[in-house]
Amino acid sequence: MSEGREDFIATCDAKLRLVRAEADLTQEDMAHALGISKKTLVDIEKARRSLGFSGAVTLCAVFPDSEIISTAFGGSPMDMIPGLALVGQLLPAPLTSGNPWWEIIANNGEFIIEQNTISQHYRLLTSQRVKVASAFDIDDLLPLFRAQPTEEP
């Protein structure tokens, strides 16, 4: 196992209890969310077991807005997970245009609204194609899409 992957797992193991507290979950509810037994969760929280790679990935995926996780990794770890999973392999470049699954609905120069051709849900992206929000009702995204940038003092 690569050192980066081991560090990722160790960090998730160490932050598990804090993420659970941040989410205000019982051990039973947290175990259910991660797909593990309560006994396994208790053992991980007491540093007797480890989440392992799949458990650490699950923790990050189930709690994508966790400030504990974001602080531990200096941002969302979701961008680094493919690199940890595919060590020694080239990662596919992100699609910047011509994606057959997304149709551009609106573009105001600062934001882009796209609709998924399969699920019909919408996503709001920055002009640099960073996802800001998603919704099944385009009206939920329009206030952000129309928002004027604020000038910094």
Side-chain angles (χ1 to χ4, degrees):
M1 188 180 314
S2 74
E3 187 176 326
R5 188 185 268 210
E6 289 173 1
D7 291 344
F8 170 71
I9 295 166
T11 300
C12 289
D13 286 345
K15 301 300 181 186
L16 178 61
R17 182 185 306 232
L18 294 172
V19 173
R20 181 172 64 80
E22 176 185 47
D24 195 27
L25 294 176
T26 65
Q27 286 178 325
E28 190 170 310
D29 289 340
M30 182 64 138
H32 179 76
L34 298 177
I36 60 178
S37 71
K38 180 181 173 186
K39 181 182 180 338
T40 299
L41 178 81
V42 169
D43 285 348
I44 296 166
E45 287 187 350
K46 292 185 176 186
R48 294 189 294 232
R49 291 181 80 167
S50 174
L51 281 164
F53 184 66
S54 60
V57 170
T58 301
L59 177 69
C60 294
V62 172
F63 300 96
D65 299 324
S66 167
E67 291 203 25
I68 301 294
I69 292 172
S70 293
T71 300
F73 293 108
S76 172
M78 298 310 288
D79 292 333
M80 70 184 210
I81 289 172
L84 294 172
L86 303 169
V87 174
Q89 299 177 27
L90 291 176
L91 298 176
L95 292 172
T96 56
S97 64
N99 185 333
W101 309 117
W102 293 96
E103 178 183 347
I104 295 175
I105 302 298
N107 184 344
N108 68 5
E110 185 177 349
F111 293 108
I112 301 164
I113 295 179
E114 294 181 332
Q115 184 175 30
N116 187 284
T117 58
I118 304 296
S119 68
Q120 299 298 302
H121 79 278
Y122 299 90
R123 67 181 181 185
L124 178 69
L125 309 172
T126 66
S127 59
Q128 293 80 34
R129 304 201 55 79
V130 175
K131 187 170 112 176
V132 176
S134 62
F136 277 94
D137 187 344
I138 194 170
D139 291 335
D140 294 338
L141 301 179
L142 290 177
L144 291 170
F145 179 77
R146 294 182 182 136
Q148 297 298 317
T150 56
E151 293 184 25
E152 295 184 22

